[in-house]
Amino acid sequence: MKSWLPIAADSHFSLANIPFGVVTTAKFQTPRIAVAIGDHCLDTLTFSKQGGFSKCNGLTQQQLSVFSEPTLNAFAALGRSQHRIIRSYLQEIFKENTPYPEVLSTNKALRKEALIPLCEVKNHLPMAIGDYTDFFAGRNHAHNIGTLFRGPANALNPNYNHVPVAYHGRASSVIVSGTPLHRPNGQVLPVPEATTPVFKPCAKLDIELELGMFVCRGNEFGKPISVKDAEEHIFGYVLMNDWSARDIQQWEYVPLGPFNAKNFGTSISPWVVLADALEPFKTSGLPNEVELQDYLKEGKTDNIIDIRLDISLKTNQGCINNISKTSSKNLLWSWPQMLAHHTITGCNMRTGDLLGSGTISGFEPGTQGSILEQSLGGKTPLQLERGEARSFLEDNDTIIIRGCAGTTPGELVGFGECSGTILPPV
């Protein structure tokens, strides 16, 4: 699809995408909804006030009010069918041969006021997040980590292939890309054979390359979401870095799992790629050799989204090192399966709830989604440019995660960046 707006062929914000986010500018300080397109974004509030949605059939005046909100929650709550209508309409508006030329000719504000260069906006968290659950759906990661600590024969726990394992994270410390975070302090064992901990800054600070999914509509308390209906509850996706304090985690996780090792920060990319934009990239994920419980059976194999993912590490010297390239095809469980399992007890999801995929890794060197895996628990440091090396992250290191679906120039569907810089402990 060609646009009257110049869009680079390698832009992740092509017409095939239309991701939604929340921004402010020097002109308006109250957060408002925007759509990324090329190297610009569309201020949907200004566009709406100027009659930009006047030709959008199926959108009521009351539904238009969602563009006055400071988060995407009200827009998300409209549901998949309305997201589809609005996304398709905006694609038509930006097409080179738009069927709505009168909207462009009479709406001078579209180009003068509603279109803003991305370099002039500040991104904010796109959703008001009520709850955050992080899954463990990357089987290769689970196997790699399990092998480090228990050996290959006992790498996966007996339940792994049967149930989508997860833990409840901390929603209040989910932060938008570009937000720095401090190295956490906590209890750690001074040496492996010790039995008494010391309190000190984390020495094994790590990353976890993940995808995140936002819920658009919840379910009534006590009524599970069927795996076959779960797609209608999915709003869209973001990149995620679930920062991890490995030494703190090792001491605290028995018997109830991660706590302070995870709650100090989880970074997400600012633009939510709608579920419909990634629908064409569905494919098969990792095979599951066990017989699933009926509530997890989808009846299809093309249930995983094919997204190319990479991680870069920028050091204090300014060198940017690509440390991993992998694919979201390295997931065992699909998002509908995760939703179905999360709600099988009757647990009620809500608009804006965030689910993480768990770390996405391959088996080959340079395809793992955490430094713990790549450095073999810190024993084999990553070799970087200018003679630097990393067993784990150092202060002032910056991690940058990128992701993109599709290979056709002009039709790429990406997320922008998910980045964060580690500051010294407080």
Side-chain angles (χ1 to χ4, degrees), residues 311-343:
I311 309 171
S312 296
L313 190 159
K314 183 179 180 181
T315 68
N316 199 30
Q317 296 186 33
C319 292
I320 299 178
N321 304 261
N322 184 276
I323 60 173
S324 181
K325 289 184 180 294
T326 189
S327 167
S328 60
K329 290 190 293 184
N330 288 309
L331 289 175
L332 178 65
W333 301 102
S334 72
W335 295 103
Q337 287 173 318
M338 288 185 250
L339 266 177
H341 182 67
H342 202 312
T343 63

PDB file of all heavy atoms in Angstrom, residues 311-343:
ATOM      1  N   ILE A 311      18.372  -8.115  20.055  1.00  0.00           N
ATOM      2  CA  ILE A 311      18.795  -7.372  21.249  1.00  0.00           C
ATOM      3  C   ILE A 311      20.143  -6.718  20.972  1.00  0.00           C
ATOM      4  O   ILE A 311      21.063  -7.373  20.472  1.00  0.00           O
ATOM      5  CB  ILE A 311      18.953  -8.301  22.462  1.00  0.00           C
ATOM      6  CG1 ILE A 311      17.716  -9.160  22.672  1.00  0.00           C
ATOM      7  CG2 ILE A 311      19.263  -7.487  23.719  1.00  0.00           C
ATOM      8  CD1 ILE A 311      17.915 -10.250  23.727  1.00  0.00           C
ATOM      9  N   SER A 312      20.257  -5.442  21.314  1.00  0.00           N
ATOM     10  CA  SER A 312      21.533  -4.735  21.246  1.00  0.00           C
ATOM     11  C   SER A 312      21.901  -4.222  22.632  1.00  0.00           C
ATOM     12  O   SER A 312      21.023  -3.876  23.430  1.00  0.00           O
ATOM     13  CB  SER A 312      21.466  -3.560  20.270  1.00  0.00           C
ATOM     14  OG  SER A 312      21.239  -4.008  18.953  1.00  0.00           O
ATOM     15  N   LEU A 313      23.201  -4.196  22.898  1.00  0.00           N
ATOM     16  CA  LEU A 313      23.718  -3.665  24.160  1.00  0.00           C
ATOM     17  C   LEU A 313      24.618  -2.483  23.838  1.00  0.00           C
ATOM     18  O   LEU A 313      25.615  -2.622  23.130  1.00  0.00           O
ATOM     19  CB  LEU A 313      24.487  -4.748  24.915  1.00  0.00           C
ATOM     20  CG  LEU A 313      24.906  -4.464  26.365  1.00  0.00           C
ATOM     21  CD1 LEU A 313      25.166  -5.771  27.106  1.00  0.00           C
ATOM     22  CD2 LEU A 313      26.162  -3.586  26.460  1.00  0.00           C
ATOM     23  N   LYS A 314      24.270  -1.314  24.356  1.00  0.00           N
ATOM     24  CA  LYS A 314      25.080  -0.103  24.182  1.00  0.00           C
ATOM     25  C   LYS A 314      25.856   0.138  25.471  1.00  0.00           C
ATOM     26  O   LYS A 314      25.267   0.292  26.542  1.00  0.00           O
ATOM     27  CB  LYS A 314      24.200   1.096  23.853  1.00  0.00           C
ATOM     28  CG  LYS A 314      24.968   2.374  23.599  1.00  0.00           C
ATOM     29  CD  LYS A 314      24.024   3.522  23.260  1.00  0.00           C
ATOM     30  CE  LYS A 314      24.779   4.815  22.998  1.00  0.00           C
ATOM     31  NZ  LYS A 314      23.843   5.941  22.702  1.00  0.00           N
ATOM     32  N   THR A 315      27.167   0.169  25.373  1.00  0.00           N
ATOM     33  CA  THR A 315      28.005   0.334  26.552  1.00  0.00           C
ATOM     34  C   THR A 315      28.212   1.808  26.871  1.00  0.00           C
ATOM     35  O   THR A 315      27.851   2.701  26.096  1.00  0.00           O
ATOM     36  CB  THR A 315      29.376  -0.329  26.350  1.00  0.00           C
ATOM     37  OG1 THR A 315      30.097   0.411  25.353  1.00  0.00           O
ATOM     38  CG2 THR A 315      29.221  -1.769  25.901  1.00  0.00           C
ATOM     39  N   ASN A 316      28.862   2.068  28.003  1.00  0.00           N
ATOM     40  CA  ASN A 316      29.161   3.431  28.413  1.00  0.00           C
ATOM     41  C   ASN A 316      30.113   4.119  27.433  1.00  0.00           C
ATOM     42  O   ASN A 316      30.176   5.346  27.357  1.00  0.00           O
ATOM     43  CB  ASN A 316      29.777   3.424  29.822  1.00  0.00           C
ATOM     44  CG  ASN A 316      29.690   4.772  30.489  1.00  0.00           C
ATOM     45  OD1 ASN A 316      28.769   5.541  30.230  1.00  0.00           O
ATOM     46  ND2 ASN A 316      30.634   5.067  31.352  1.00  0.00           N
ATOM     47  N   GLN A 317      30.865   3.322  26.643  1.00  0.00           N
ATOM     48  CA  GLN A 317      31.761   3.874  25.636  1.00  0.00           C
ATOM     49  C   GLN A 317      31.026   4.255  24.346  1.00  0.00           C
ATOM     50  O   GLN A 317      31.630   4.796  23.425  1.00  0.00           O
ATOM     51  CB  GLN A 317      32.861   2.863  25.300  1.00  0.00           C
ATOM     52  CG  GLN A 317      33.797   2.536  26.465  1.00  0.00           C
ATOM     53  CD  GLN A 317      34.945   1.649  26.044  1.00  0.00           C
ATOM     54  OE1 GLN A 317      35.441   1.733  24.927  1.00  0.00           O
ATOM     55  NE2 GLN A 317      35.382   0.781  26.952  1.00  0.00           N
ATOM     56  N   GLY A 318      29.723   3.945  24.283  1.00  0.00           N
ATOM     57  CA  GLY A 318      28.933   4.305  23.113  1.00  0.00           C
ATOM     58  C   GLY A 318      28.891   3.242  22.036  1.00  0.00           C
ATOM     59  O   GLY A 318      28.280   3.448  20.989  1.00  0.00           O
ATOM     60  N   CYS A 319      29.531   2.095  22.257  1.00  0.00           N
ATOM     61  CA  CYS A 319      29.519   1.009  21.272  1.00  0.00           C
ATOM     62  C   CYS A 319      28.201   0.249  21.357  1.00  0.00           C
ATOM     63  O   CYS A 319      27.759  -0.122  22.447  1.00  0.00           O
ATOM     64  CB  CYS A 319      30.673   0.047  21.509  1.00  0.00           C
ATOM     65  SG  CYS A 319      32.286   0.768  21.182  1.00  0.00           S
ATOM     66  N   ILE A 320      27.584   0.022  20.186  1.00  0.00           N
ATOM     67  CA  ILE A 320      26.347  -0.749  20.126  1.00  0.00           C
ATOM     68  C   ILE A 320      26.677  -2.139  19.600  1.00  0.00           C
ATOM     69  O   ILE A 320      27.190  -2.297  18.490  1.00  0.00           O
ATOM     70  CB  ILE A 320      25.298  -0.060  19.241  1.00  0.00           C
ATOM     71  CG1 ILE A 320      24.944   1.316  19.823  1.00  0.00           C
ATOM     72  CG2 ILE A 320      24.050  -0.929  19.124  1.00  0.00           C
ATOM     73  CD1 ILE A 320      23.944   2.097  18.999  1.00  0.00           C
ATOM     74  N   ASN A 321      26.410  -3.147  20.403  1.00  0.00           N
ATOM     75  CA  ASN A 321      26.731  -4.531  20.070  1.00  0.00           C
ATOM     76  C   ASN A 321      25.442  -5.326  19.935  1.00  0.00           C
ATOM     77  O   ASN A 321      24.630  -5.364  20.872  1.00  0.00           O
ATOM     78  CB  ASN A 321      27.581  -5.167  21.176  1.00  0.00           C
ATOM     79  CG  ASN A 321      28.849  -4.387  21.475  1.00  0.00           C
ATOM     80  OD1 ASN A 321      29.921  -4.727  21.004  1.00  0.00           O
ATOM     81  ND2 ASN A 321      28.732  -3.331  22.293  1.00  0.00           N
ATOM     82  N   ASN A 322      25.243  -5.962  18.788  1.00  0.00           N
ATOM     83  CA  ASN A 322      24.109  -6.866  18.662  1.00  0.00           C
ATOM     84  C   ASN A 322      24.469  -8.171  19.362  1.00  0.00           C
ATOM     85  O   ASN A 322      25.456  -8.826  19.017  1.00  0.00           O
ATOM     86  CB  ASN A 322      23.759  -7.136  17.203  1.00  0.00           C
ATOM     87  CG  ASN A 322      22.518  -7.999  17.077  1.00  0.00           C
ATOM     88  OD1 ASN A 322      22.577  -9.221  17.140  1.00  0.00           O
ATOM     89  ND2 ASN A 322      21.378  -7.354  16.912  1.00  0.00           N
ATOM     90  N   ILE A 323      23.683  -8.541  20.357  1.00  0.00           N
ATOM     91  CA  ILE A 323      24.038  -9.723  21.151  1.00  0.00           C
ATOM     92  C   ILE A 323      23.088 -10.892  20.937  1.00  0.00           C
ATOM     93  O   ILE A 323      23.361 -11.997  21.419  1.00  0.00           O
ATOM     94  CB  ILE A 323      24.130  -9.386  22.650  1.00  0.00           C
ATOM     95  CG1 ILE A 323      22.805  -8.866  23.192  1.00  0.00           C
ATOM     96  CG2 ILE A 323      25.239  -8.365  22.893  1.00  0.00           C
ATOM     97  CD1 ILE A 323      22.793  -8.683  24.704  1.00  0.00           C
ATOM     98  N   SER A 324      21.969 -10.684  20.225  1.00  0.00           N
ATOM     99  CA  SER A 324      21.059 -11.802  19.996  1.00  0.00           C
ATOM    100  C   SER A 324      20.107 -11.507  18.847  1.00  0.00           C
ATOM    101  O   SER A 324      19.655 -10.375  18.683  1.00  0.00           O
ATOM    102  CB  SER A 324      20.244 -12.108  21.258  1.00  0.00           C
ATOM    103  OG  SER A 324      19.370 -13.198  21.045  1.00  0.00           O
ATOM    104  N   LYS A 325      19.811 -12.541  18.076  1.00  0.00           N
ATOM    105  CA  LYS A 325      18.768 -12.500  17.052  1.00  0.00           C
ATOM    106  C   LYS A 325      17.962 -13.788  17.192  1.00  0.00           C
ATOM    107  O   LYS A 325      18.522 -14.879  17.167  1.00  0.00           O
ATOM    108  CB  LYS A 325      19.360 -12.399  15.644  1.00  0.00           C
ATOM    109  CG  LYS A 325      19.983 -11.044  15.325  1.00  0.00           C
ATOM    110  CD  LYS A 325      20.458 -10.993  13.874  1.00  0.00           C
ATOM    111  CE  LYS A 325      21.077  -9.644  13.534  1.00  0.00           C
ATOM    112  NZ  LYS A 325      20.096  -8.551  13.567  1.00  0.00           N
ATOM    113  N   THR A 326      16.655 -13.643  17.336  1.00  0.00           N
ATOM    114  CA  THR A 326      15.831 -14.833  17.523  1.00  0.00           C
ATOM    115  C   THR A 326      14.461 -14.595  16.908  1.00  0.00           C
ATOM    116  O   THR A 326      14.252 -13.634  16.165  1.00  0.00           O
ATOM    117  CB  THR A 326      15.731 -15.186  19.025  1.00  0.00           C
ATOM    118  OG1 THR A 326      15.107 -16.455  19.168  1.00  0.00           O
ATOM    119  CG2 THR A 326      14.973 -14.136  19.803  1.00  0.00           C
ATOM    120  N   SER A 327      13.523 -15.461  17.194  1.00  0.00           N
ATOM    121  CA  SER A 327      12.186 -15.375  16.601  1.00  0.00           C
ATOM    122  C   SER A 327      11.141 -15.767  17.625  1.00  0.00           C
ATOM    123  O   SER A 327      11.369 -16.649  18.467  1.00  0.00           O
ATOM    124  CB  SER A 327      12.083 -16.309  15.389  1.00  0.00           C
ATOM    125  OG  SER A 327      10.729 -16.460  14.981  1.00  0.00           O
ATOM    126  N   SER A 328       9.979 -15.124  17.534  1.00  0.00           N
ATOM    127  CA  SER A 328       8.876 -15.470  18.437  1.00  0.00           C
ATOM    128  C   SER A 328       8.285 -16.839  18.116  1.00  0.00           C
ATOM    129  O   SER A 328       7.422 -17.328  18.857  1.00  0.00           O
ATOM    130  CB  SER A 328       7.777 -14.405  18.356  1.00  0.00           C
ATOM    131  OG  SER A 328       7.265 -14.316  17.032  1.00  0.00           O
ATOM    132  N   LYS A 329       8.748 -17.472  17.040  1.00  0.00           N
ATOM    133  CA  LYS A 329       8.322 -18.849  16.758  1.00  0.00           C
ATOM    134  C   LYS A 329       8.834 -19.810  17.825  1.00  0.00           C
ATOM    135  O   LYS A 329       8.387 -20.952  17.896  1.00  0.00           O
ATOM    136  CB  LYS A 329       8.815 -19.288  15.377  1.00  0.00           C
ATOM    137  CG  LYS A 329       8.123 -18.586  14.218  1.00  0.00           C
ATOM    138  CD  LYS A 329       8.455 -19.213  12.884  1.00  0.00           C
ATOM    139  CE  LYS A 329       9.897 -19.034  12.494  1.00  0.00           C
ATOM    140  NZ  LYS A 329      10.168 -19.567  11.136  1.00  0.00           N
ATOM    141  N   ASN A 330       9.766 -19.335  18.664  1.00  0.00           N
ATOM    142  CA  ASN A 330      10.316 -20.167  19.738  1.00  0.00           C
ATOM    143  C   ASN A 330       9.448 -20.134  20.991  1.00  0.00           C
ATOM    144  O   ASN A 330       9.956 -20.101  22.121  1.00  0.00           O
ATOM    145  CB  ASN A 330      11.740 -19.711  20.082  1.00  0.00           C
ATOM    146  CG  ASN A 330      12.741 -20.065  19.000  1.00  0.00           C
ATOM    147  OD1 ASN A 330      12.803 -21.215  18.570  1.00  0.00           O
ATOM    148  ND2 ASN A 330      13.504 -19.089  18.544  1.00  0.00           N
ATOM    149  N   LEU A 331       8.135 -20.139  20.802  1.00  0.00           N
ATOM    150  CA  LEU A 331       7.196 -20.207  21.923  1.00  0.00           C
ATOM    151  C   LEU A 331       6.417 -21.512  21.842  1.00  0.00           C
ATOM    152  O   LEU A 331       6.023 -21.945  20.755  1.00  0.00           O
ATOM    153  CB  LEU A 331       6.219 -19.022  21.894  1.00  0.00           C
ATOM    154  CG  LEU A 331       6.799 -17.642  22.230  1.00  0.00           C
ATOM    155  CD1 LEU A 331       5.747 -16.551  22.033  1.00  0.00           C
ATOM    156  CD2 LEU A 331       7.334 -17.597  23.653  1.00  0.00           C
ATOM    157  N   LEU A 332       6.190 -22.115  22.979  1.00  0.00           N
ATOM    158  CA  LEU A 332       5.423 -23.357  23.024  1.00  0.00           C
ATOM    159  C   LEU A 332       3.930 -23.081  23.111  1.00  0.00           C
ATOM    160  O   LEU A 332       3.127 -23.766  22.480  1.00  0.00           O
ATOM    161  CB  LEU A 332       5.862 -24.195  24.237  1.00  0.00           C
ATOM    162  CG  LEU A 332       5.112 -25.513  24.439  1.00  0.00           C
ATOM    163  CD1 LEU A 332       5.386 -26.468  23.296  1.00  0.00           C
ATOM    164  CD2 LEU A 332       5.486 -26.149  25.774  1.00  0.00           C
ATOM    165  N   TRP A 333       3.551 -22.080  23.907  1.00  0.00           N
ATOM    166  CA  TRP A 333       2.140 -21.778  24.143  1.00  0.00           C
ATOM    167  C   TRP A 333       1.722 -20.534  23.373  1.00  0.00           C
ATOM    168  O   TRP A 333       2.473 -19.563  23.290  1.00  0.00           O
ATOM    169  CB  TRP A 333       1.883 -21.576  25.638  1.00  0.00           C
ATOM    170  CG  TRP A 333       2.243 -22.757  26.482  1.00  0.00           C
ATOM    171  CD1 TRP A 333       3.357 -22.912  27.253  1.00  0.00           C
ATOM    172  CD2 TRP A 333       1.505 -23.979  26.614  1.00  0.00           C
ATOM    173  NE1 TRP A 333       3.360 -24.136  27.873  1.00  0.00           N
ATOM    174  CE2 TRP A 333       2.232 -24.825  27.499  1.00  0.00           C
ATOM    175  CE3 TRP A 333       0.305 -24.444  26.071  1.00  0.00           C
ATOM    176  CZ2 TRP A 333       1.787 -26.088  27.861  1.00  0.00           C
ATOM    177  CZ3 TRP A 333      -0.137 -25.711  26.434  1.00  0.00           C
ATOM    178  CH2 TRP A 333       0.596 -26.515  27.314  1.00  0.00           C
ATOM    179  N   SER A 334       0.506 -20.531  22.846  1.00  0.00           N
ATOM    180  CA  SER A 334      -0.047 -19.377  22.136  1.00  0.00           C
ATOM    181  C   SER A 334      -0.728 -18.447  23.131  1.00  0.00           C
ATOM    182  O   SER A 334      -1.020 -18.823  24.273  1.00  0.00           O
ATOM    183  CB  SER A 334      -1.067 -19.830  21.083  1.00  0.00           C
ATOM    184  OG  SER A 334      -2.259 -20.285  21.720  1.00  0.00           O
ATOM    185  N   TRP A 335      -1.016 -17.231  22.678  1.00  0.00           N
ATOM    186  CA  TRP A 335      -1.701 -16.273  23.555  1.00  0.00           C
ATOM    187  C   TRP A 335      -3.102 -16.745  23.918  1.00  0.00           C
ATOM    188  O   TRP A 335      -3.510 -16.605  25.083  1.00  0.00           O
ATOM    189  CB  TRP A 335      -1.732 -14.895  22.900  1.00  0.00           C
ATOM    190  CG  TRP A 335      -0.369 -14.323  22.735  1.00  0.00           C
ATOM    191  CD1 TRP A 335       0.371 -14.263  21.587  1.00  0.00           C
ATOM    192  CD2 TRP A 335       0.466 -13.759  23.757  1.00  0.00           C
ATOM    193  NE1 TRP A 335       1.598 -13.696  21.833  1.00  0.00           N
ATOM    194  CE2 TRP A 335       1.681 -13.374  23.144  1.00  0.00           C
ATOM    195  CE3 TRP A 335       0.295 -13.551  25.128  1.00  0.00           C
ATOM    196  CZ2 TRP A 335       2.722 -12.789  23.867  1.00  0.00           C
ATOM    197  CZ3 TRP A 335       1.335 -12.959  25.846  1.00  0.00           C
ATOM    198  CH2 TRP A 335       2.530 -12.592  25.214  1.00  0.00           C
ATOM    199  N   PRO A 336      -3.894 -17.316  22.990  1.00  0.00           N
ATOM    200  CA  PRO A 336      -5.190 -17.857  23.412  1.00  0.00           C
ATOM    201  C   PRO A 336      -5.064 -18.951  24.472  1.00  0.00           C
ATOM    202  O   PRO A 336      -5.884 -19.021  25.402  1.00  0.00           O
ATOM    203  CB  PRO A 336      -5.776 -18.404  22.102  1.00  0.00           C
ATOM    204  CG  PRO A 336      -5.194 -17.531  21.047  1.00  0.00           C
ATOM    205  CD  PRO A 336      -3.779 -17.285  21.512  1.00  0.00           C
ATOM    206  N   GLN A 337      -4.050 -19.791  24.348  1.00  0.00           N
ATOM    207  CA  GLN A 337      -3.849 -20.823  25.371  1.00  0.00           C
ATOM    208  C   GLN A 337      -3.497 -20.201  26.718  1.00  0.00           C
ATOM    209  O   GLN A 337      -3.964 -20.662  27.772  1.00  0.00           O
ATOM    210  CB  GLN A 337      -2.753 -21.792  24.931  1.00  0.00           C
ATOM    211  CG  GLN A 337      -3.178 -22.735  23.812  1.00  0.00           C
ATOM    212  CD  GLN A 337      -2.023 -23.560  23.294  1.00  0.00           C
ATOM    213  OE1 GLN A 337      -0.909 -23.057  23.105  1.00  0.00           O
ATOM    214  NE2 GLN A 337      -2.266 -24.845  23.043  1.00  0.00           N
ATOM    215  N   MET A 338      -2.665 -19.161  26.694  1.00  0.00           N
ATOM    216  CA  MET A 338      -2.310 -18.493  27.945  1.00  0.00           C
ATOM    217  C   MET A 338      -3.534 -17.859  28.598  1.00  0.00           C
ATOM    218  O   MET A 338      -3.733 -17.947  29.813  1.00  0.00           O
ATOM    219  CB  MET A 338      -1.218 -17.454  27.696  1.00  0.00           C
ATOM    220  CG  MET A 338       0.148 -18.044  27.401  1.00  0.00           C
ATOM    221  SD  MET A 338       1.439 -16.777  27.241  1.00  0.00           S
ATOM    222  CE  MET A 338       1.795 -16.841  25.484  1.00  0.00           C
ATOM    223  N   LEU A 339      -4.382 -17.216  27.774  1.00  0.00           N
ATOM    224  CA  LEU A 339      -5.602 -16.605  28.315  1.00  0.00           C
ATOM    225  C   LEU A 339      -6.561 -17.656  28.859  1.00  0.00           C
ATOM    226  O   LEU A 339      -7.154 -17.496  29.932  1.00  0.00           O
ATOM    227  CB  LEU A 339      -6.301 -15.787  27.227  1.00  0.00           C
ATOM    228  CG  LEU A 339      -5.996 -14.303  27.154  1.00  0.00           C
ATOM    229  CD1 LEU A 339      -6.711 -13.667  25.976  1.00  0.00           C
ATOM    230  CD2 LEU A 339      -6.391 -13.597  28.446  1.00  0.00           C
ATOM    231  N   ALA A 340      -6.716 -18.748  28.109  1.00  0.00           N
ATOM    232  CA  ALA A 340      -7.617 -19.809  28.552  1.00  0.00           C
ATOM    233  C   ALA A 340      -7.150 -20.402  29.877  1.00  0.00           C
ATOM    234  O   ALA A 340      -7.965 -20.642  30.778  1.00  0.00           O
ATOM    235  CB  ALA A 340      -7.710 -20.894  27.480  1.00  0.00           C
ATOM    236  N   HIS A 341      -5.853 -20.620  30.004  1.00  0.00           N
ATOM    237  CA  HIS A 341      -5.343 -21.193  31.250  1.00  0.00           C
ATOM    238  C   HIS A 341      -5.455 -20.204  32.402  1.00  0.00           C
ATOM    239  O   HIS A 341      -5.813 -20.580  33.531  1.00  0.00           O
ATOM    240  CB  HIS A 341      -3.889 -21.629  31.083  1.00  0.00           C
ATOM    241  CG  HIS A 341      -3.330 -22.275  32.313  1.00  0.00           C
ATOM    242  ND1 HIS A 341      -3.775 -23.488  32.790  1.00  0.00           N
ATOM    243  CD2 HIS A 341      -2.382 -21.846  33.202  1.00  0.00           C
ATOM    244  CE1 HIS A 341      -3.122 -23.794  33.896  1.00  0.00           C
ATOM    245  NE2 HIS A 341      -2.276 -22.822  34.173  1.00  0.00           N
ATOM    246  N   HIS A 342      -5.174 -18.931  32.135  1.00  0.00           N
ATOM    247  CA  HIS A 342      -5.235 -17.904  33.177  1.00  0.00           C
ATOM    248  C   HIS A 342      -6.636 -17.814  33.773  1.00  0.00           C
ATOM    249  O   HIS A 342      -6.802 -17.534  34.968  1.00  0.00           O
ATOM    250  CB  HIS A 342      -4.838 -16.555  32.575  1.00  0.00           C
ATOM    251  CG  HIS A 342      -4.360 -15.541  33.577  1.00  0.00           C
ATOM    252  ND1 HIS A 342      -5.029 -15.267  34.752  1.00  0.00           N
ATOM    253  CD2 HIS A 342      -3.286 -14.716  33.573  1.00  0.00           C
ATOM    254  CE1 HIS A 342      -4.377 -14.322  35.421  1.00  0.00           C
ATOM    255  NE2 HIS A 342      -3.315 -13.981  34.733  1.00  0.00           N
ATOM    256  N   THR A 343      -7.654 -18.058  32.962  1.00  0.00           N
ATOM    257  CA  THR A 343      -9.032 -17.851  33.409  1.00  0.00           C
ATOM    258  C   THR A 343      -9.773 -19.147  33.705  1.00  0.00           C
ATOM    259  O   THR A 343     -10.966 -19.100  34.027  1.00  0.00           O
ATOM    260  CB  THR A 343      -9.824 -17.064  32.343  1.00  0.00           C
ATOM    261  OG1 THR A 343      -9.884 -17.842  31.121  1.00  0.00           O
ATOM    262  CG2 THR A 343      -9.169 -15.728  32.053  1.00  0.00           C
TER     263      THR A 343
END
